[in-house]
Amino acid sequence: MKKLIPALLVFLIIASCNKYEDGPKLSLRTRKARIINTWKVEKYMVGDVDYTASFKTAYPDYTVVFDKSGSYTISATYNSVVVSESGTWELSDSKSFLIRNETAPTVQTHSNEITRLKNDELNTKYYDSNGSLVEMQLVTK
């Protein structure tokens, strides 16, 4: 019985560590430390349709940078024109959402639900202005 209680405690702790629907179950790095990185799009889905190839063709150098100070930048080239967005980022109180407070070129707040967060992979989902579910898989650049 004495061995069962510590084993049960370890199991409960590990089971409670899974914050995101696609995992991971356990990480030694904090959520914030895992987000701080330079990311590129690996997969881009709208509804059930995979638009990855179209996205990568339209935005071949799409890059998202989340830095330690809480700032972020998104940059890409679209039709030979460099487009960018910048602002601050934070995690929601529940750590389930990545919140971007855009300050340039416009002022608005974006909230993406995190479905997977690893050192080298960040999956999010959100609803676009048309009400379509958009899912993005980002990997480190």
Side-chain angles (χ1 to χ4, degrees):
M1 184 68 163
K2 288 182 182 181
K3 291 181 181 180
L4 181 61
I5 292 173
L8 185 58
L9 271 173
V10 168
F11 174 76
L12 289 173
I13 290 169
I14 289 173
S16 68
C17 290
N18 187 12
K19 187 70 167 174
Y20 308 115
E21 66 185 53
D22 294 331
K25 294 283 186 201
L26 180 67
S27 176
L28 299 177
R29 295 181 70 201
T30 66
R31 290 175 179 93
K32 185 175 180 178
R34 284 180 272 163
I35 290 174
I36 297 168
N37 218 324
T38 300
W39 303 92
K40 66 179 183 174
V41 172
E42 182 69 16
K43 191 168 190 177
Y44 186 85
M45 302 279 296
V46 179
D48 293 330
V49 181
D50 187 342
Y51 284 100
T52 305
S54 299
F55 186 92
K56 288 183 175 186
T57 298
Y59 305 100
D61 60 348
Y62 185 92
T63 303
V64 182
V65 178
F66 294 106
D67 71 23
K68 194 177 193 176
S69 71
S71 296
Y72 80 92
T73 57
I74 298 175
S75 60
T77 303
Y78 179 73
N79 289 334
S80 301
V81 176
V82 176
V83 293
S84 64
E85 173 186 314
S86 61
T88 60
W89 71 273
E90 62 187 329
L91 290 170
S92 65
D93 291 340
S94 67
K95 310 279 193 265
S96 298
F97 288 85
L98 176 61
I99 302 167
R100 296 187 339 267
N101 299 301
E102 180 183 351
T103 57
T106 62
V107 176
Q108 57 184 311
T109 299
H110 309 274
S111 182
N112 296 41
E113 183 178 356
I114 300 170
T115 58
R116 183 173 181 82
L117 178 57
K118 293 175 59 177
N119 296 338
D120 59 355
E121 184 180 348
L122 170 60
N123 296 357
T124 66
K125 64 183 180 181
Y126 64 94
Y127 289 92
D128 67 13
S129 58
N130 297 321
S132 299
L133 178 64
V134 177
E135 296 177 86
M136 293 179 75
Q137 178 185 21
L138 302 169
V139 295
T140 54
K141 191 165 182 169

